[in-house]
Amino acid sequence: MKKSTYIPEGSTALQERFINTMMMQGKKSIARRILKDCFLEITTSSEGQNPERVFEKAVDTVKPTMEVKPKRIGGAVYQIPVEVKLNRQVSLTFRWIIDAARKIKGKPMAKKLAGVLMEAAAGTGPAVKKRDDVHKQAQANKAFAHLAKY
């Protein structure tokens, strides 16, 4: 059987990947509905801004460029800063946005996700803080960058 690559009308490949990341226990229809409701929430609460643009801006804002990877050299473990590949950038971005939304209590997921996406698009919020923490850690361990070749 050939795997279907159908993307529903009005949904980009990035949004489909986000839906797949957000999905729990194979419930894709619920994940799709959450994203759709999230986009409606963004439209109503942000004076009619285009929700797809807000989503893309949030993803671009949260994408990390550097991270640290532990490497064992001579019995010691060093945190070595490395550049993040594009595929992993998107994966980390989605994970951080979804985790930030899930940590908020007392609201429906669509409203929590809309709030996190709008904050991220504005350059604030927990997902952006996570990216900044990862960049600071990479910056602090820049002295070990020469060990990346091992």
Side-chain angles (χ1 to χ4, degrees):
M1 283 180 97
K2 186 179 174 190
K3 188 176 176 186
S4 174
T5 57
Y6 169 74
I7 297 174
E9 185 71 20
S11 184
T12 65
L14 192 66
Q15 291 170 5
E16 281 298 310
R17 190 166 166 194
F18 185 79
I19 288 167
N20 288 339
T21 306
M22 184 172 44
M23 177 174 55
M24 296 179 87
Q25 299 177 351
K27 308 281 186 176
K28 189 177 244 182
S29 59
I30 292 174
R32 251 199 199 104
R33 190 169 358 118
I34 288 171
L35 189 65
K36 188 183 112 200
D37 293 347
C38 169
F39 281 0
L40 289 172
E41 182 70 27
I42 289 172
T43 305
T44 57
S45 65
S46 65
E47 296 88 41
Q49 271 188 316
N50 185 354
E52 277 102 14
R53 292 218 194 278
V54 171
F55 176 75
E56 288 170 12
K57 190 169 189 317
V59 169
D60 286 341
T61 305
V62 178
K63 272 186 191 173
T65 55
M66 296 291 288
E67 70 176 341
V68 292
K69 291 214 174 193
K71 191 161 263 191
R72 188 179 177 98
I73 300 171
V77 179
Y78 296 99
Q79 297 290 329
I80 298 174
V82 293
E83 284 190 30
V84 184
K85 293 180 181 168
L86 184 63
N87 200 24
R88 182 158 167 80
Q89 283 181 358
V90 175
S91 296
L92 288 172
T93 300
F94 288 168
R95 203 177 310 157
W96 294 342
I97 289 172
I98 292 166
D99 285 347
R102 285 185 179 146
K103 283 182 182 172
I104 301 169
K105 300 293 179 201
K107 291 186 194 173
M109 183 61 183
K111 288 187 184 234
K112 297 190 288 188
L113 190 59
V116 170
L117 285 173
M118 287 191 294
E119 286 176 347
T124 61
V128 176
K129 185 181 181 325
K130 178 74 173 170
R131 186 222 37 209
D132 291 343
D133 291 345
V134 168
H135 281 177
K136 280 180 192 168
Q137 197 173 10
Q139 189 67 29
N141 288 298
K142 207 161 75 168
F144 302 120
H146 69 282
L147 296 174
K149 63 186 172 196
Y150 295 108

